[in-house]
Amino acid sequence: MVIVLQSMEISATRNYRFRGRSVTGLGSLLTLYILCCLLNVSSGQTRQGCPDPVPKSAGNASYSKVYPVLNNAEATGLLLLGFGGFSVLLALAFVAIRKHVFHDANNLDTAFDAGGKVSTSLTAVTVASQLLWPGDLLQSATVAIKNGIAGSFWYSTCCVINMILFPVLSVQFKIRAPGAKTFLQVIYARFGRGPHLVFCFFALLMNTVVSICLLIASTAILKALVNDSNGEYCIIIMATLFGSYSFVGGLGSTFYVSYFNAAIIFVCLVVFSIRIFYSGDSDSITDLYAKVTCLQGPEGNEERSYLTFWSQGAIIWAVQGFFATASITFCDQASWQSRIAAKPAQGVLGFFAATYIWFAIPSTIGTTLGLGYLAKTVGAGNDSLLELELADIDSGLVTVFMAQTEMGTVGSYLVLTMLMMAVMSSGSGEVMAVSSIIVYDIYQTHINPYSKKKKSLPSGEQKQEDVSICGQEVELRNSNDGQMIPATDCPKCFQDLERLMSEQGLNKQRVYRCEIHGDYRAYLDSLVNFKSWCILWVTLFLIPLGLVSLATGIDLNYVMMVGFILTTPSFPPALMTVLWTKTTGIGVTVGGLAGLFGGIVANLFMASTFEGGLSNFLKNTSQDFAVLAGSTTAFGLSLTLTIVVSLFTNKIKTPHDALMEWEKARDIDNPLKPWSETFKEDFPQLREGEKPTYDELDKVFRTAKLVAYIGGTISLTLFVVVIPGIMATLHVLSETEFEVWVVALQLWALTMALVVVVVTPVEEVLTIIRQIKSNMRKGSDSGYKDNLMSDSDNRKPHETIALNVKL
């Protein structure tokens, strides 16, 4: 097997072609996707029996538009009462189940980790759903139109690579920092205030770019489908939907909503596939192939065919997408929160399942709707040119247009439901991500840490124990016998909670009488209240953010191409922080900032070489090679400088030094809800309040690590070597090859649909039933209050009761 490396020749006028086994005009990074497997290649089939292409002219051009199907009042009712109301009901159902069945406490941590024990299938569906932006549902068809069948394939492949790599990182994160609620807490614990503030900036920048993508995509959809709607109306509606059920149910509510989102998307996907390939105007896969094969594709495609996987534009898109999705996967707190909510074993399996679920959706949508759109052009033998204008294509309206063309008003409602549910799932995740960063990493760490609220403690002989909370040193002391009493065993804490439970509903000020832990409990209560306000503030901030974005005139294509140049530099330092012991604060700071500056400069320099230079700013900065230059420079500088600077500035000399370095991350904890409680069934030998050591964690979760390594190797081999290698040998597809590919995608999508629609609810119901039976065996099925007052063996004095918070 041979790895073919060819140099990149940047030229705006050169006609790129593929000959034999060589690839001219593609960068060395393209070999990440086209590896080995370039044996036995033959030239593509010559298109026969096709009429000469009909030129597009004013005489035969009949440009189409997506037509509205709702007025403002109908849209408001459907979106707020329909989608929003349904999501709020799901959030309330989740809260009720967690409270009455699992007896979760209503505290700060459970609001952002959903209890930390989410099931495998629910984790898979949620990860896939939250990474399935509206941009994926819209842009996959756009790249298929611009680059042919290769567009949606390479678009999907580049994204799943990062999803495959993440389980390895996440299992290490869970072992090394099991108490962390954000990836930024690890940066603070290891490197201190300066690097932490730098990456708070990067994290919020990431959330801002993602939120802009969501707002622009949803606005384009609503403006197209809602009559006389304007940008302000669309932004306010979407901000309300983003924050509504997040405010009610916290992170946990997004899991149930994500399930319905994924289920609806797969139902729509199956309907579209049947309509396009089996019951639409084309009548069959054969007819669609005959029409598309007659079209003249872009210059970068082999033989200028739309039916080839050899496409320069598609693979460049894939390289750009790889860097964009890398920064999203590893540096977006919304991605981390879904993974933190699951234990290592369930998380690893869930992440791999999410990879296969996610891949089925954009690849199938792009192939189905993108090629279906191409089959309707005049060059394919149609009488008139049924085509969208370029601005509508770049706005991502191809998916909506094809749904309307094939299914009329029903298709409009179907695609609106699919896209709005996707927007809500991803948008709520971003609201929770920004809120968690503000609460944990800004407010609790830098603005109002507990040490500033600490009151005077009783005098007497005391033993001090330092407990690291989010990187802060907090003193919790025992004033009686000189021994530290953990919050989990404190009788006075239990009396406080028992008393407050009886007063619940009276809206009284909560007062804790425990001299040891009472002040800290009151402090955490204030953070829960602040969390609720924070979600509201973040939701309201989306409105000016969306309005400013619309005022700039940027579209979805621009944000997805250029916006992630700004966030790519944060990816290597975040990765090295979790995986490499010798990473230093100076290294990640220099690497991240230098990568940001270098990426911007490279993008602007390359843009200046195109016609019009920087005066044609939006067009030239989003050119393929300008984006590629910015992304690769940002990534390369960040990775190189992080490693080099860390090698010269680290102080790790012995294995003990390395162990102490990771102890910093392991000590991130909440003493009133220790992370050891989440793993207590994995360590039955430990006493209440005791924490397993790093070696014990590593040993118990070794199976999860092996699954991550082996599963990652197999999945990478499949998506990076096997599938691309097979595609590379095909060149221009014959009718049989095209039919096999389409049917294979449909079978993949159908299988994943069954997993999502059937397996996920079955596993969740079985989990709830098992918990109910467990409660009945313990005599605690009468409710959370009885659980607090039952036998002392079942008492959990570290848990808190529901707050009576009014905004």
Side-chain angles (χ1 to χ4, degrees):
M1 293 188 295
V2 180
I3 298 178
V4 180
L5 296 174
Q6 296 288 342
S7 62
M8 179 181 294
E9 299 179 12
I10 303 178
S11 173
T13 59
R14 178 165 181 171
N15 181 18
Y16 293 88
R17 291 186 178 272
F18 297 98
R19 298 183 177 88
R21 302 182 184 177
S22 67
V23 183
T24 304
L26 301 181
S28 60
L29 280 174
L30 308 187
T31 58
L32 178 64
Y33 308 98
I34 304 178
L35 298 176
C36 314
C37 297
L38 295 182
L39 300 174
N40 301 319
V41 289
S42 59
S43 60
Q45 291 81 7
T46 302
R47 288 167 278 176
Q48 299 178 355
C50 293
D52 292 334
V54 178
K56 298 179 183 180
S57 64
N60 61 13
S62 178
Y63 286 100
S64 303
K65 284 284 186 181
V66 174
Y67 58 85
V69 294
L70 297 168
N71 59 40
N72 284 335
E74 292 170 338
T76 302
L78 177 63
L79 294 174
L80 295 185
L81 299 181
F83 298 146
F86 177 67
S87 299
V88 170
L89 290 177
L90 288 178
L92 292 172
F94 175 85
V95 171
I97 291 173
R98 299 307 304 186
K99 177 180 179 181
H100 297 291
V101 177
F102 294 92
H103 299 160
D104 279 353
N106 177 29
N107 57 40
L108 186 67
D109 289 344
T110 54
F112 291 111
D113 70 359
K117 298 181 181 179
V118 179
S119 63
T120 300
S121 60
L122 201 57
T123 299
V125 170
T126 302
V127 170
S129 180
Q130 291 186 343
L131 288 178
L132 190 69
W133 296 0
D136 297 321
L137 302 176
L138 302 175
Q139 206 69 17
S140 56
T142 300
V143 295
I145 290 173
K146 293 185 175 181
N147 302 293
I149 195 172
S152 56
F153 171 74
W154 292 114
Y155 179 96
S156 304
T157 302
C158 74
C159 296
V160 298
I161 292 175
N162 291 299
M163 297 173 67
I164 292 169
L165 294 174
F166 195 88
V168 177
L169 181 65
S170 67
V171 74
Q172 290 289 356
F173 185 90
K174 269 292 190 180
I175 293 173
R176 291 173 171 175
K181 296 296 180 284
T182 71
F183 76 97
L184 297 169
Q185 288 178 303
V186 180
I187 294 177
Y188 184 81
R190 289 195 62 184
F191 310 134
R193 179 181 296 268
H196 181 252
L197 289 174
V198 170
F199 280 87
C200 282
F201 162 75
F202 273 117
L204 293 175
L205 180 62
M206 167 63 70
N207 294 124
T208 300
V209 173
V210 173
S211 298
I212 290 174
C213 281
L214 298 176
L215 292 171
I216 289 178
S218 57
T219 299
I221 297 166
L222 290 180
K223 290 178 72 174
L225 295 178
V226 179
N227 193 32
D228 295 328
S229 61
N230 54 44
E232 293 81 358
Y233 165 84
C234 298
I235 294 297
I236 292 173
I237 289 289
M238 296 317 304
T240 304
L241 291 177
F242 288 178
S244 56
Y245 67 92
S246 298
F247 190 83
V248 174
L251 176 68
S253 63
T254 65
F255 285 91
Y256 282 9
V257 175
S258 293
Y259 162 72
F260 281 95
N261 169 42
I264 289 172
I265 287 174
F266 272 106
V267 169
C268 295
L269 197 61
V270 172
V271 171
F272 289 147
S273 295
I274 293 174
R275 183 69 182 178
I276 296 291
F277 288 112
Y278 301 105
S279 62
D281 295 335
S282 298
D283 294 329
S284 69
I285 298 176
T286 301
D287 289 343
L288 189 144
Y289 173 84
K291 291 183 176 182
V292 176
T293 196
C294 293
L295 297 175
Q296 185 178 71
E299 291 185 352
N301 286 22
E302 183 177 10
E303 298 185 15
R304 299 200 65 175
S305 170
Y306 279 109
L307 298 176
T308 177
F309 292 99
W310 290 91
S311 170
Q312 170 202 331
I315 304 180
I316 289 178
W317 228 108
V319 176
Q320 298 163 356
F322 171 79
F323 290 119
T325 54
S327 58
I328 297 169
T329 304
F330 296 99
C331 303
D332 186 354
Q333 177 56 27
S335 299
W336 281 101
Q337 282 180 175
S338 299
R339 291 147 174 81
I340 290 171
K343 296 174 66 175
Q346 289 77 15
V348 168
L349 293 174
F351 306 154
F352 283 129
T355 300
Y356 292 86
I357 292 171
W358 188 94
F359 181 82
I361 298 173
S363 58
T364 306
I365 285 182
T367 301
T368 302
L369 299 182
L371 295 185
Y373 174 89
L374 290 173
K376 292 183 175 298
T377 63
V378 68
N382 298 301
D383 294 333
S384 62
L385 182 64
L386 189 64
E387 187 175 13
L388 290 172
E389 294 180 351
L390 182 60
D392 290 335
I393 294 175
D394 285 339
S395 295
L397 295 181
V398 176
T399 301
V400 183
F401 174 74
M402 286 302 299
Q404 286 188 342
T405 302
E406 294 295 327
M407 302 177 66
T409 303
V410 174
S412 300
Y413 282 106
L414 201 61
V415 77
L416 178 64
T417 301
M418 177 178 69
L419 292 169
M420 287 301 101
M421 291 296 288
V423 167
M424 289 171 59
S425 178
S426 301
S428 64
E430 295 304 313
V431 169
M432 293 303 298
V434 175
S435 299
S436 65
I437 292 172
I438 293 174
V439 172
Y440 284 109
D441 293 289
I442 296 177
Y443 184 78
Q444 187 182 11
T445 302
H446 298 291
I447 297 176
N448 189 21
Y450 173 72
S451 57
K452 294 182 180 180
K453 293 184 67 68
K454 184 174 55 183
K455 297 180 180 180
S456 59
L457 296 173
S459 58
E461 184 179 354
Q462 301 170 336
K463 177 181 178 180
Q464 177 176 321
E465 175 176 330
D466 292 332
V467 182
S468 177
I469 302 177
C470 303
Q472 305 169 59
E473 297 300 323
V474 179
E475 297 177 354
L476 298 178
R477 308 177 183 182
N478 187 301
S479 59
N480 297 320
D481 56 6
Q483 298 297 321
M484 176 67 187
I485 298 179
T488 52
D489 294 331
C490 180
K492 292 187 177 182
C493 284
F494 183 82
Q495 293 170 8
D496 277 341
L497 296 180
E498 201 172 49
R499 172 178 52 81
L500 291 171
M501 176 62 75
S502 64
E503 298 175 356
Q504 194 170 357
L506 300 179
N507 288 321
K508 292 183 177 180
Q509 178 69 32
R510 300 182 66 175
V511 177
Y512 297 99
R513 298 171 182 171
C514 176
E515 300 89 348
I516 306 171
H517 310 102
D519 287 343
Y520 189 67
R521 287 187 182 280
Y523 172 68
L524 287 188
D525 286 350
S526 70
L527 291 183
V528 174
N529 192 13
F530 177 76
K531 176 265 301 181
S532 300
W533 282 104
C534 192
I535 292 175
L536 179 61
W537 296 334
V538 172
T539 302
L540 293 176
F541 175 73
L542 292 175
I543 297 175
L545 177 65
L547 295 178
V548 170
S549 300
L550 293 179
T552 62
I554 59 177
D555 54 31
L556 178 62
N557 186 65
Y558 186 87
V559 179
M560 294 193 70
M561 295 281 282
V562 180
F564 292 108
I565 294 176
L566 305 177
T567 60
T568 295
S570 62
F571 159 48
L575 192 70
M576 304 300 286
T577 297
V578 177
L579 296 181
W580 193 32
T581 310
K582 294 186 177 181
T583 307
T584 65
I586 298 176
V588 297
T589 302
V590 172
L593 294 179
L596 175 63
F597 178 77
I600 294 174
V601 170
N603 176 261
L604 295 177
F605 174 77
M606 186 59 66
S608 67
T609 64
F610 299 125
E611 183 179 355
L614 295 181
S615 60
N616 197 358
F617 187 81
L618 292 181
K619 178 181 178 181
N620 288 341
T621 54
S622 60
Q623 295 269 17
D624 284 347
F625 288 114
V627 175
L628 190 63
S631 298
T632 53
T633 301
F635 176 82
L637 273 178
S638 179
L639 178 64
T640 302
L641 290 177
T642 298
I643 294 175
V644 172
V645 174
S646 294
L647 284 173
F648 285 98
T649 57
N650 79 88
K651 298 180 181 179
I652 307 299
K653 305 299 180 184
T654 65
H656 179 264
D657 294 338
L659 181 62
M660 294 306 296
E661 184 67 23
W662 293 122
E663 281 296 312
K664 298 176 184 177
R666 180 178 169 274
D667 284 342
I668 301 172
D669 204 1
N670 179 349
L672 302 186
K673 188 181 181 296
W675 57 260
S676 56
E677 285 290 308
T678 304
F679 305 107
K680 60 183 178 181
E681 60 266 26
D682 300 301
F683 301 95
Q685 75 278 11
L686 297 180
R687 294 177 299 175
E688 188 77 18
E690 275 192 325
K691 295 180 182 179
T693 65
Y694 172 79
D695 289 336
E696 288 174 332
L697 282 170
D698 188 67
K699 183 177 180 180
V700 167
F701 297 127
R702 188 165 297 166
T703 301
K705 290 176 64 176
L706 289 176
V707 171
Y709 296 145
I710 296 173
T713 301
I714 294 174
S715 298
L716 279 176
T717 301
L718 177 65
F719 284 105
V720 178
V721 179
V722 177
I723 297 179
I726 294 174
M727 298 303 102
T729 63
L730 297 179
H731 290 265
V732 178
L733 300 184
S734 67
E735 181 180 316
T736 301
E737 292 166 343
F738 175 74
E739 187 169 358
V740 169
W741 171 248
V742 171
V743 172
L745 277 181
Q746 292 172 349
L747 290 175
W748 190 318
L750 183 61
T751 303
M752 294 301 103
L754 292 175
V755 171
V756 170
V757 176
V758 178
V759 175
T760 302
V762 168
E763 183 183 13
E764 186 67 10
V765 169
L766 291 176
T767 301
I768 293 173
I769 292 174
R770 283 195 298 268
Q771 184 63 38
I772 292 174
K773 291 180 178 179
S774 176
N775 294 344
M776 294 176 66
R777 285 195 299 268
K778 295 178 180 179
S780 59
D781 58 320
S782 59
Y784 184 45
K785 180 177 179 179
D786 292 336
N787 186 48
L788 281 173
M789 298 180 177
S790 61
D791 184 79
S792 59
D793 291 339
N794 292 325
R795 294 182 178 183
K796 300 292 182 184
H798 61 286
E799 294 187 352
T800 61
I801 60 177
L803 284 173
N804 295 311
V805 177
K806 287 189 175 181
L807 295 181

